[in-house]
């Protein structure tokens, strides 16, 4: 449709082969690009891809990335080398018993982690010495190979130095999501300064976020069978969670559900589902929903049967005067606000249209679809929460759904469906266990620093992501606790050591080019990773680590499909000199005078056993029992401690199949209807709020958010719209769709994926015409914080006034500081606002046609770091 260049699949293998290791090359394009057909069929001799299967063993490996889904990823291992990849073909695909099919990224996993950019051995930046780090040369010089002994001694010495000279506030671990692997080590030493970013879901305080709770929406079988309208507020499963979420949606559509999509562009998922598009400017959804509320009230008065008054009065507080909570401190309610009783502005469809850009008639259309007579699901992605001013959006979504009574009934639901946990609701049928380590009481350790400097474990300091590089440069920041838990207060630090583990921070967090400046000021920057990341060329020491599929045996599996349990077989090979993050931490602990057992009490084998033994299966009445049968022989063979147990599948079968999955049927006992208990008996089954009901007016929310805001903003106990001023001279709003070529930071190093998806800036046809821009032109996108270069894609399927810069691309700065990698975080900066939310999706920018040196296509650049 249209001229939008969503992707340009070129089946050219040139760069794929160039990308690296012979083993990876042997996978060929068949592994990474095939697999769109759901049917199983035998491939014959002489098939175009030479499908006669070479000798070897297929094993299921971990495919654990930030996509929020876990799919089956199988590799064919022949003579210890992975030569092919495929996905779930253990049974025919059906809606009742779907395969756990992987996506194009998963199928490029081996290329991503075993390419030419794989880190092979420890390296040291040439001119770095303990006496003089030569920080100004970070990013400008090469590396030399060193031994693990030398590398670990250097890191341990630097840790000792910073803890004795400065203390925890000299150590920074920027990986906002993932620093998890090194936190136990740094906590033993005395703590560290963390970075706080609301990342995915917006404000977290008081659970006011668009985060996921697996039980807050109905099970997929109910959605497929019973929903009449499915409203998607900024969802994009077609790109963001390939596989079963889209499969479920398509089935719902085929069975008659009508889809409505709200967002700044008509995305691939809306396209796939023939959705009606309600166009909105990024960051204005709360205004849209207020307009919908006004229209619902108007339609209800005119024709009746639109607003579910019984629901509002029985299950909610604060919609109108009739149902105020006991602790209400002001005499206001949501209905009065919508009608303009307090500020003189009724939130009419025209009012909302002027702010959002959505036609007023579309707002009326939404109000009708949300009426109480319709079985409507109001589903949302997370993008709309990653906007400045989105603090009240979660409450607004809940309020609108409550106005139509869309909770607790078949075919009615409200919440996030379709990114995490494979797009369904309900407690897991197959519950992945854990390693049991969290249950152990660990001995108190003597910190390396002055004990008085160790942070209060309840309230350690955190720097907001927007301030983090400034904090490194200036030593000043605003401490607001983790994700805005305490009122912001000025604080100081003296960052000397940055521990970059499991992160690609420079691409994932704001102010990418300020990071370069900041990194050049510190004593020591350590990068510990699988392959060369965009931050790695600035590191002083680089440590190569193992990929999850090579070794990680007790994986956090919370994102697995509700219905299945994937059994991963670690490949066990140690490529080059890579070691696990845990091994590195243990080596460092020893060098620092600790006993690693005091930090990691269980062996990796014991962790693995505990994780298997504690995995559970639910029966149709909701009771859990052990999933896996484990015998004494299994325990002896693993060399661990434990008791034999009876489950529903034995270890050998599980290993062979790589999965255990429960087939479903419509109307079975697993069909979860969210909040059904609360609706049946609200007194006996209250929701988790002060009143035990849905709080359309929540006193605690208003008070708490107002006391915690960075810029003196105030929040009402009910949802209101917070207008955002843009930066003068930057007339367009940038948003960042999570793009198919990567899963967060991962996979963006894959040359074949870069070739297939060139990550263009999508711009509205009228805005492009005004700037003389055509599809394929190079454009310079600027903000007050930085500049990037990208190819343009001109489209009518994006609203005027907004551009889409794909999320996931890695920065690549040229000598002038222009980012030729096109990372949106080069453009996002400024001071934290409101609750300090990550406002990635409403950033002020401008776009010009680029007339300088031509762009090199992304697939012709690859970052490889090797010793010289
Ligand atoms: N391929 C791929 N998949 C991923 C990821 C990835 O990086 N790549 N990341 C994973 C992660 S960590 C997360 S948190 C999820 C993210 O999941 P989401 O946040 O749901 O995904 P996005 O792609 O950011 O946005 C979904 C849609 O919302 C639209 N949108 C953007 N801004 C707004 C707005 O202000 N209002 C409305 N109504 N719509 C808006 C976008 O155009 C897009 O089409 O995806 C996960 N899946
Ligand atoms: N501009 C903009 N920025 C965004 C977003 C946006 O929409 N726009 N989205 C935000 C969102 S929703 C999210 S969730 C974040 C995610 O951003 P990231 O923090 O980049 O997320 P991941 O890619 O999951 O990061 C994990 C890193 O750990 C590495 N890793 C994996 N396994 C191992 C291991 O065993 N050892 C080590 N040492 N490393 C390992 C991965 O390769 C990856 O580099 O990005 C956020 N940033
Ligand atoms: Mo995320």
């Amino acid at each position: 449709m249209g001229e939008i260049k969503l992707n340009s699949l070129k089946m050219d293998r040139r760069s794929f082969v160039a990308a690296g290791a012979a083993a990876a090359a042997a996978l060929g394009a068949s592994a990474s690009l095939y697999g769109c057909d759901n049917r199983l069929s035998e491939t014959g001799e002489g098939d175009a891809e030479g499908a006669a299967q070479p000798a070897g063993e297929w094993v299921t490996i971990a495919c654990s990335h930030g996509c929020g889904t876990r799919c089956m990823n199988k590799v064919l291992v022949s003579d210890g080398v992975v030569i092919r990849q495929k996905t779930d073909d253990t049974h025919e695909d059906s809606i009742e018993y779907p395969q756990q099919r992987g996506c194009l990224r998963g199928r490029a996993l081996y290329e991503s982690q075993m390419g030419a950019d794989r880190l092979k051995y420890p390296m040291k930046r040439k001119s770095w010495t303990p006496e003089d780090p030569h920080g100004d040369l970070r990013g400008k010089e090469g590396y030399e190979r060193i031994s693990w002994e030398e590398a670990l001694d250097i890191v341990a010495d630097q840790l000792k130095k910073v803890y004795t000279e400065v203390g925890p506030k000299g150590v920074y671990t920027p990986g906002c999501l993932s620093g998890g692997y090194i936190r136990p080590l740094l906590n033993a030493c005395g703590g560290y300064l963390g970075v706080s970013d609301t990342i995915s879901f917006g404000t977290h305080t008081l659970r006011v976020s668009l985060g996921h709770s697996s039980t807050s929406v109905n099970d997929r079988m109910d959605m497929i069978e019973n929903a009449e309208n499915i409203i998607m507020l900024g969802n994009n499963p077609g790109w963001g969670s390939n596989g079963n979420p889209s499969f479920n949606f398509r089935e719902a559509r085929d069975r008659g559900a009508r889809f409505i999509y709200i967002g700044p562009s008509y995305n691939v998922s809306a396209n796939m589902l023939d959705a009606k598009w309600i166009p909105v400017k990024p960051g204005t959804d709360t205004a849209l929903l207020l307009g919908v509320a006004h229209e619902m009230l108007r339609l209800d008065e005119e024709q009746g049967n639109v607003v579910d008054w019984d629901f509002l009065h029985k299950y909610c507080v604060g919609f109108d005067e009739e149902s105020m909570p006991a602790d209400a401190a002001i005499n206001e309610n949501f209905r009065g606000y919508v009608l303009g009783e307090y500020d003189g502005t009724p939130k009419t469809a025209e009012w909302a249209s002027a702010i959002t850009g959505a036609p007023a008639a579309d707002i009326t259309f939404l109000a009708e679809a949300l009426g109480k007579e319709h079985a409507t699901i109001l589903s949302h992605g997370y993008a709309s929460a990653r906007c400045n001013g989105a603090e009240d959006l979660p409450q607004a979504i809940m309020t609108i759904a409550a106005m139509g009574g869309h909770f607790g009934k078949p075919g009615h639901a409200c919440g996030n469906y379709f990114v995490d946990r494979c797009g369904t609701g309900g407690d897991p049928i197959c519950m992945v266990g854990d390693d049991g380590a969290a249950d152990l009481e660990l001995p108190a350790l003597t910190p390396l620093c002055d004990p008085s400097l160790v942070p209060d474990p309840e309230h350690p300091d955190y720097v907001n992501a927007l301030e983090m590089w400034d904090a490194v440069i200036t030593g000043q920041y605003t401490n607001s606790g983790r994700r805005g838990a305490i009122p912001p207060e000025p604080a100081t630090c003296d960052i000397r050591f940055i521990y970059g583990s499991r992160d690609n921070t420079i691409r994932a967090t704001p102010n990418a080019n300020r990071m370069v400046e900041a990194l050049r000021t510190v004593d020591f920057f350590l990068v510990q990773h699988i392959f060369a990341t965009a931050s790695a060329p600035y590191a002083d020491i680089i440590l190569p680590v193992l990929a999850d599929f090579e070794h990680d045996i007790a994986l956090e599996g919370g994102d697995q499909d509700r219905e299945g349990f994937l059994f991963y077989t670690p490949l066990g090979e140690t490529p080059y000199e890579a070691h696990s993050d845990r091994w590195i931490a243990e080596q460092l602990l020893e060098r620092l005078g600790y006993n690693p057992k005091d930090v990691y009490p269980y062996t990796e084998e014991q962790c693995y056993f505990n994780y298997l033994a504690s995995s559970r299966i639910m029966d149709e009445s909701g009771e859990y029992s052990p999933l896996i049968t484990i015998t004494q022989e299994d325990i002896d063979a693993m060399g661990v401690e434990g008791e034999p147990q009876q489950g529903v599948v034995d270890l050998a079968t599980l290993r062979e199949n790589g999965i255990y999955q429960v087939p479903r049927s419509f109307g079975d006992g697993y069909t979860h209807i969210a909040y059904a208990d609360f609706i049946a008996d609200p007194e006996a089954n209250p929701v988790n709020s002060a009143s035990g009901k849905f709080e359309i007016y929540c006193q605690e929310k208003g008070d708490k958010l107002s006391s915690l805001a960075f810029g003196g903003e105030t929040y009402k106990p009910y949802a209101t719209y917070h207008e955002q001023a843009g930066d003068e001279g930057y007339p367009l709003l940038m948003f960042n769709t999570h793009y198919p070529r990567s899963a967060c930071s991962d996979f963006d190093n894959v040359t074949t994926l870069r070739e297939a998806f060139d990550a263009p800036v999508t711009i509205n046809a009228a805005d492009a015409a005004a700037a003389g821009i055509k599809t394929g032109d190079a454009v310079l996108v600027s903000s007050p914080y930085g500049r990037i270069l990208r190819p343009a894609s001109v489209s009518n399927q994006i609203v005027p006034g907004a551009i889409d810069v794909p999320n996931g691309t890695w920065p690549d700065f040229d000598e002038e500081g222009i980012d030729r990698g096109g990372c949106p975080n080069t453009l996002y900066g400024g001071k934290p606002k409101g609750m300090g939310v990550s406002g990635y999706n409403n950033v002020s920018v401008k776009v010009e046609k680029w007339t300088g040196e031509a762009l090199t296509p992304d697939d012709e650049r690859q970052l490889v770091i090797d010793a010289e």
Side-chain angles (χ1 to χ4, degrees):
M1 283 182 74
E3 64 272 64
I4 183 167
K5 196 177 167 217
L6 295 173
N7 61 48
S8 48
L9 275 175
K10 292 177 275 172
M11 300 290 279
D12 173 356
R13 299 204 206 158
R14 168 185 47 88
S15 37
F16 183 78
V17 175
L27 284 165
S30 63
S32 50
L33 296 174
Y34 277 22
C36 303
D37 189 333
N38 285 9
R39 287 158 305 181
L40 296 179
S41 59
E42 292 289 329
T43 48
E45 292 272 340
D47 178 284
E49 292 297 322
Q53 187 167 306
E57 193 197 352
W58 283 103
V59 294
T60 298
I61 57 164
C63 192
S64 52
H65 304 277
C67 49
T69 309
R70 296 290 173 261
C71 313
M72 188 178 233
N73 202 334
K74 284 183 154 182
V75 293
L76 181 63
V77 186
S78 183
D79 283 338
V81 177
V82 171
I83 55 170
R84 285 197 181 169
Q85 270 190 257
K86 68 176 180 182
T87 187
D88 191 358
D89 59 357
T90 52
H91 55 84
E92 287 285 342
D93 205 19
S94 69
I95 204 70
E96 290 85 0
Y97 191 29
Q99 296 168 347
Q100 304 299 325
R101 297 169 66 80
C103 71
L104 73 172
R105 294 174 296 277
R107 289 162 200 243
L109 179 61
Y110 210 63
E111 189 188 347
S112 127
Q113 319 238 313
M114 278 302 281
D117 56 347
R118 177 82 191 220
L119 295 169
K120 302 181 184 67
Y121 29 72
M123 286 182 281
K124 184 182 83 66
R125 187 167 57 81
K126 278 189 174 161
S127 70
W128 184 89
T129 63
E131 295 73 39
D132 182 354
H134 295 283
D136 53 322
L137 292 177
R138 291 193 177 104
K140 296 180 189 163
E141 67 174 334
Y143 287 83
E144 60 194 34
R145 179 175 179 173
I146 56 172
S147 68
W148 270 106
E149 288 297 310
E150 195 184 340
L152 292 164
D153 286 347
I154 291 176
V155 177
D157 285 348
Q158 291 297 314
L159 282 169
K160 261 186 232 152
K161 184 171 156 224
V162 66
Y163 278 101
T164 43
E165 289 179 7
V166 185
K169 283 207 193 175
V171 183
Y172 207 176
T173 166
C176 44
L177 282 183
S178 35
Y181 276 60
I182 45 141
R183 281 189 196 129
L185 162 71
L186 297 181
N187 280 334
C189 300
Y192 59 92
L193 192 57
V195 57
S196 169
D197 186 341
T198 66
I199 321 175
S200 308
F201 316 134
T203 299
H204 287 248
T205 313
L206 284 175
R207 303 181 307 283
V208 185
S209 87
L210 290 186
H212 53 260
S213 151
S214 56
T215 52
S216 61
V217 290
N218 302 358
D219 168 63
R220 69 184 182 96
M221 301 302 266
D222 170 71
M223 184 266 292
I224 291 168
E225 204 180 17
N226 298 318
E228 178 190 339
N229 295 309
I230 300 182
I231 302 175
M232 301 172 115
L233 189 134
N235 306 51
N236 194 14
W239 275 2
S241 46
N242 290 147
N244 292 343
S246 296
F247 190 35
N248 293 329
F249 275 141
R250 287 211 313 265
E251 184 76 12
R253 181 205 54 191
D254 293 348
R255 288 172 186 242
R258 175 177 67 168
F259 282 82
I260 301 164
Y261 176 72
I262 302 169
S265 66
Y266 193 65
N267 66 21
V268 288
S269 309
N271 239 307
M272 167 182 77
L273 298 163
D274 308 320
K276 176 181 168 62
W277 182 25
I278 315 282
V280 289
K281 283 187 201 135
T284 64
D285 300 82
T286 308
L288 181 88
L289 295 174
L290 292 169
V292 170
H294 195 279
E295 280 300 275
M296 287 177 81
L297 287 169
R298 183 181 67 79
L299 292 172
D300 190 69
E301 214 162 284
E302 284 175 23
Q303 63 197 48
N305 280 342
V306 174
V307 176
D308 191 337
W309 294 102
D310 293 341
F311 187 91
L312 288 174
H313 293 148
K314 186 167 176 194
Y315 299 105
C316 310
V317 293
F319 182 77
D320 57 10
E321 275 170 17
E322 242 177 77
S323 56
M324 293 304 288
D327 62 355
I330 53 171
N331 188 19
E332 292 182 9
N333 57 64
F334 182 74
R335 180 174 169 277
Y337 170 70
V338 169
L339 296 178
E341 285 170 12
Y342 316 128
D343 58 5
T345 305
K347 313 300 176 297
T348 60
E350 290 70 27
W351 171 86
S353 174
I355 294 169
T356 61
D362 284 357
I363 296 171
T364 310
F365 170 87
L366 270 177
E368 281 165 352
L370 280 153
K372 71 176 212 182
E373 308 252 275
H374 301 288
T376 294
I377 289 180
L378 176 53
S379 167
H380 59 75
Y382 309 138
S384 51
R386 290 196 295 278
C387 290
N388 285 312
E391 283 81 356
D392 275 349
L393 180 64
Q395 196 184 19
I397 292 174
M398 180 272 285
T399 300
I400 299 305
M403 284 180 75
H406 302 301
F407 287 98
K409 293 175 275 194
H412 297 252
C414 169
N416 176 266
Y417 253 93
F418 305 116
V419 173
D420 288 281
R421 301 198 173 86
C422 302
T424 189
D427 285 324
I429 298 172
C430 296
M431 171 122 67
V432 177
D434 62 58
D435 67 11
D439 306 336
L440 289 179
E441 184 103 18
L442 297 178
L445 300 176
T446 313
L448 296 179
C449 62
D450 174 348
S452 70
L453 298 176
V454 174
D456 169 1
E458 296 295 312
H459 288 291
D461 274 28
Y462 276 88
V463 185
N464 184 279
L466 273 165
E467 286 188 344
M468 66 193 230
W469 304 122
D470 280 331
V472 174
I473 295 165
T474 66
Q476 313 276 327
Y477 67 99
T478 322
N479 176 34
S480 61
R482 185 163 150 76
R483 289 171 172 170
I486 58 165
E489 59 188 17
T492 57
C493 59
D494 181 9
I495 303 296
R496 309 240 188 119
F497 186 123
I498 300 185
Y499 200 137
S501 161
R502 252 185 191 263
D503 84 306
N504 199 345
T505 311
I506 197 166
R507 91 89 215 146
T509 44
N511 287 313
N513 47 4
R514 194 99 168 111
M515 174 166 178
V516 176
E517 198 185 327
L519 288 177
R520 292 191 174 134
T521 68
V522 297
D523 289 349
F524 194 64
F525 177 40
L526 172 63
V527 163
Q528 176 171 316
H529 215 285
I530 305 161
F531 44 80
T533 61
S535 331
Y538 304 93
D540 301 323
I541 295 285
I542 296 177
L543 301 179
V545 297
L546 292 170
D548 285 347
F549 70 79
E550 286 158 348
H551 79 103
D552 207 334
I553 44 184
L555 280 169
E556 185 272 317
D559 290 335
Q560 291 203 6
D561 192 303
R562 173 172 192 235
E563 294 160 21
F565 177 94
L566 285 161
F567 184 93
Y568 306 127
T569 301
L571 287 189
E573 292 283 315
T574 302
Y576 312 108
E577 289 188 8
H579 279 292
S580 70
D581 293 278
R582 173 164 164 172
W583 181 87
I584 295 170
E586 288 177 338
Q587 293 292 317
L588 291 171
L589 285 164
E590 268 176 25
R591 281 170 172 75
L592 296 169
Y594 296 107
N595 179 357
K597 280 227 156 338
D598 291 341
V599 178
Y600 299 102
Y602 287 136
T603 61
E604 291 198 60
E605 291 72 23
Q606 188 68 45
C607 288
Y608 185 46
F609 173 82
N610 294 349
Y611 146 86
L612 294 176
S614 60
S615 293
R616 297 263 179 283
I617 178 149
M618 187 206 270
D619 66 19
E620 288 196 52
S621 71
E623 292 296 317
Y624 282 103
S625 60
L627 173 69
I628 306 170
T629 300
I630 302 176
T631 62
Q632 189 59 49
E633 292 80 70
D634 292 330
I635 295 170
D636 296 343
M638 282 190 236
V640 295
E641 284 179 24
E643 296 294 319
Q645 63 179 36
Q646 182 64 43
V648 295
V649 58
D650 63 76
L651 267 178
T653 310
L654 200 49
R655 186 174 293 121
E656 189 179 331
N657 294 344
I659 188 166
Y660 180 83
Q661 187 177 336
V662 178
R664 301 290 311 278
S665 57
F666 285 99
D668 66 14
Y670 294 122
T671 313
H672 171 77
I673 305 293
Y675 301 108
D677 292 359
F678 169 62
I679 300 303
D681 187 346
E683 274 73 41
N685 308 300
V687 298
N688 190 3
S689 69
S691 63
K693 298 184 177 184
F694 290 122
E695 299 208 340
I696 292 171
Y697 179 114
C698 175
Q699 191 62 49
E700 197 187 349
K701 180 217 101 178
D703 293 348
K704 201 138 203 183
L705 264 59
S706 300
S707 76
L708 297 176
F710 274 82
E713 295 89 346
T714 54
Y715 297 89
K716 293 281 190 184
Y718 49 86
T720 68
Y721 174 61
H722 306 276
E723 200 178 339
Q724 299 300 301
D727 291 314
E728 216 168 308
Y730 298 90
L732 301 176
L733 283 178
M734 172 183 75
F735 63 96
N736 311 140
T737 299
H738 286 218
Y739 194 58
R741 123 176 158 185
S742 61
C744 299
S745 294
D746 280 350
F747 296 108
D748 196 60
N749 59 331
V750 176
T751 315
T752 39
L753 293 177
R754 286 187 172 198
E755 195 180 352
F757 298 94
D758 58 0
V761 167
T762 307
I763 180 168
N764 176 269
D767 295 329
I773 293 165
K774 295 188 299 299
T775 291
D777 286 349
V779 291
L780 178 73
V781 187
S782 344
S783 79
Y785 310 100
R787 293 176 293 167
I788 67 167
L789 281 175
R790 285 284 83 194
S793 171
V794 176
S795 172
N796 285 313
Q797 297 183 45
I798 182 167
V799 296
I803 63 164
D804 186 358
V805 177
N807 169 57
T809 50
W810 296 7
D812 179 7
F813 296 105
D814 68 14
E815 267 127 50
E816 286 174 66
I818 299 179
D819 172 7
R820 288 176 171 259
C823 176
N825 283 317
T826 301
L827 300 169
Y828 177 40
K831 290 263 159 259
K833 296 179 194 154
M835 295 300 301
V837 297
S838 319
Y840 297 118
N841 280 332
N842 53 355
V843 175
S844 298
V845 296
K846 67 177 177 193
V847 179
E848 299 152 79
K849 189 165 167 170
W850 172 250
T851 49
E853 195 194 327
L855 255 68
T856 311
D858 290 353
D859 61 287
E860 287 172 23
R861 295 180 287 124
Q862 189 182 28
L863 176 66
V864 176
I865 300 178
D866 219 332
E868 285 168 3

